[in-house]
Amino acid sequence: QRYPSYHRGWVVTASIDCGPKTSYARMFSTTTSSTGTTQTRTTTTRVTTTETTTTVERKTTRRTTSTQVTTTTQPTTTVAEKKTTTVAETTTTGDTAGRGDDWNHDFFKAHSLLDAAALTSTTLPSTTSTSTTLDPTSTTMPEALLVIPNATTRNHCRGKIEVAGHGQVSIVAAEWNFPGERATDVRASGAALMPRMGARAYFADECEDGADFDGKRYMSLRLLGRKLKYTVDLSEAHCGCNAAFYLVPMARNNDPSKCNDYYCDATSVCGVACAEIDVQEGNIHAWHSTLHSSTDVAGLTVGYGGGDMSYNSARDWSNKSYAPNDQACINTLYPFEVEASFPKDRAGHLSAMVIRLSQTRPGRSCQTSANITSYANIPEISRALAEGVTPVASYWSNKNMLWLDGLGADGDGPCARDAPDACGDFSRFSDFAVEDLN
């Protein structure tokens, strides 16, 4: 679906390892010839399955429980230039006539990680007698190439990004979202991190391609008494999409987990539970910031959006504070800044998580904030922040994301239904910084 020219005379062979409980061998061959308006194709498909895998969804319904919450919106008048973010996209054009339902579109969409910009000056096979050289600036894919990742490699390093106040960090791409579902890819360079839909990425002190995942190499960022800042672009994340940025103590997890990368979170999606600090789960319509202990899947949430006919989720803000329009304080069609602060009380323990969103655009500067100051399991969160946490970014979608963006019982939420097919290919996080609190 993403590369509509792939049917022209290509022969593709792929062997995919879908995990310890499922393996597939798929072979596709296609021949296309054209004379005037007449086309013929033959397609053969062989699928061999040794076992089946039962997958589970990553998230469960979250409900907001009682908390002491402080919410503020502070508009001021400022004239400033509009800040925009451009996301590079690779598109392919071509004749799609004769593409039948027997061609497994989802296979290519999920498993072909084609990034022309990363394949600079590569000589490719061609359907003609001459070779084809890939132009990294071109938006047209040579018809002789389809990239299918080798599922057995451990090349999970995706480059480095700069974190102001800390230095360079390596970005590690997860191999599995959860047992049975492979993760997609991540782009990272300069100051920006871009998870593709279906990807998860970890911050690390170092990364070595070809080596097994090593939990001791993950970043262990001590954030108690400090704040973490970054810019996020959610402009392509609609109802049913979730761009998430959160903190978990992966560097102190000694269990490699069922995903073999030492990942842990409050929902145990890879079989290991740990404290989870969700700075962000959101799209252009909804935003959640949540504290979870290792035994609290639901957690305590502030923000805006979510719920069904039986309950309301976060209502600390409204669509006047956060929405995809210019009347809102935060116009989510444009990048905005996120600040997560973790102040200490007089005893040196965590007193709150303070989330502040801010945005400056022509003629207006505005910010909105929400605080979690009372959480029953805050001592575990305090210890995790004091000992060090690993930042994680992910981007995923689901048709059952109404716990995040649903209307709720009051009808004041943003989304009547979720449409994950409308999600853009990437979310973008950039300009990370760590600072001490005054």
Side-chain angles (χ1 to χ4, degrees), residues 36-269:
T37 59
T38 303
Q39 294 193 351
T40 61
R41 332 169 350 115
T42 60
T43 302
T44 61
T45 303
R46 184 179 74 243
V47 180
T48 303
T49 305
T50 55
E51 290 185 31
T52 59
T53 298
T54 300
T55 61
V56 297
E57 293 186 4
R58 180 180 184 274
K59 293 292 180 182
T60 59
T61 299
R62 294 182 174 174
R63 299 171 184 251
T64 307
T65 57
S66 60
T67 179
Q68 180 181 346
V69 175
T70 303
T71 306
T72 61
T73 301
Q74 301 176 351
T76 59
T77 301
T78 304
V79 177
E81 292 185 1
K82 179 178 176 182
K83 181 178 179 181
T84 60
T85 301
T86 301
V87 178
E89 285 291 333
T90 301
T91 59
T92 304
T93 59
D95 179 14
T96 58
R99 187 173 62 195
D101 291 339
D102 57 339
W103 193 256
N104 193 327
H105 302 158
D106 289 338
F107 168 80
F108 288 96
K109 185 176 181 181
H111 294 282
S112 60
L113 306 181
L114 181 58
D115 182 359
L119 298 175
T120 306
S121 301
T122 301
T123 300
L124 310 173
S126 173
T127 53
T128 66
S129 59
T130 59
S131 63
T132 301
T133 301
L134 180 62
D135 178 2
T137 65
S138 173
T139 59
T140 302
M141 173 53 52
E143 296 172 5
L145 176 66
L146 178 66
V147 176
I148 300 178
N150 183 343
T152 63
T153 63
R154 294 198 179 277
N155 295 332
H156 44 258
C157 305
R158 293 297 177 267
K160 296 183 178 182
I161 63 172
E162 188 71 26
V163 177
H166 179 84
Q168 282 194 333
V169 299
S170 296
I171 298 301
V172 178
E175 188 174 2
W176 300 94
N177 285 324
F178 49 80
E181 180 182 284
R182 282 198 178 277
T184 61
D185 206 11
V186 178
R187 296 177 182 176
S189 65
L193 167 64
M194 296 173 57
R196 187 186 291 265
M197 173 54 67
R200 187 169 64 236
Y202 313 131
F203 285 37
D205 293 329
E206 57 182 350
C207 183
E208 180 183 355
D209 271 334
D212 290 342
F213 289 94
D214 185 350
K216 301 306 179 186
R217 293 185 174 184
Y218 291 131
M219 187 179 187
S220 186
L221 184 61
R222 295 181 179 181
L223 283 174
L224 186 61
R226 308 181 79 189
K227 61 183 176 182
L228 173 66
K229 302 191 299 183
Y230 60 91
T231 298
V232 66
D233 184 350
L234 300 177
S235 58
E236 297 300 320
H238 303 280
C239 295
C241 319
N242 189 343
F245 185 81
Y246 51 107
L247 309 165
V248 289
M250 288 176 61
R252 297 193 312 281
N253 174 29
N254 295 319
D255 187 336
S257 81
K258 294 178 181 178
C259 295
N260 298 314
D261 60 5
Y262 296 87
Y263 177 70
C264 66
D265 63 13
T267 54
S268 303
V269 298

Side-chain angles (χ1 to χ4, degrees), residues 254-401:
N254 295 319
D255 187 336
S257 81
K258 294 178 181 178
C259 295
N260 298 314
D261 60 5
Y262 296 87
Y263 177 70
C264 66
D265 63 13
T267 54
S268 303
V269 298
C270 291
V272 181
C274 64
E276 178 181 340
I277 301 156
D278 292 331
V279 175
Q280 163 190 334
E281 288 187 286
N283 53 45
I284 60 173
H285 301 286
W287 180 282
H288 283 189
S289 297
T290 307
L291 295 180
H292 303 265
S293 71
S294 58
T295 58
D296 184 7
V297 173
L300 190 58
T301 299
V302 294
Y304 169 62
D308 58 25
M309 294 296 293
S310 65
Y311 79 103
N312 298 320
S313 190
R315 293 293 187 272
D316 307 289
W317 305 329
S318 70
N319 58 9
K320 294 181 179 179
S321 299
Y322 186 93
N325 61 67
D326 210 39
Q327 287 70 50
C329 174
I330 305 297
N331 182 348
T332 55
L333 295 178
Y334 298 92
F336 57 91
E337 288 68 50
V338 182
E339 180 180 298
S341 300
F342 304 98
K344 296 186 290 186
D345 59 20
R346 292 182 179 180
H349 305 306
L350 180 66
S351 61
M353 177 173 72
V354 182
I355 300 296
R356 181 175 291 106
L357 310 183
S358 61
Q359 188 179 58
T360 299
R361 54 189 191 267
R364 188 179 189 188
S365 179
C366 193
Q367 68 177 30
T368 186
S369 64
N371 308 341
I372 298 179
T373 57
S374 177
Y375 177 51
N377 298 319
I378 204 167
E380 183 180 352
I381 305 298
S382 183
R383 286 193 301 272
L385 291 167
E387 295 173 357
V389 286
T390 301
V392 179
S394 67
Y395 186 36
W396 61 290
S397 64
N398 196 282
K399 64 181 180 180
N400 298 314
M401 197 79 75

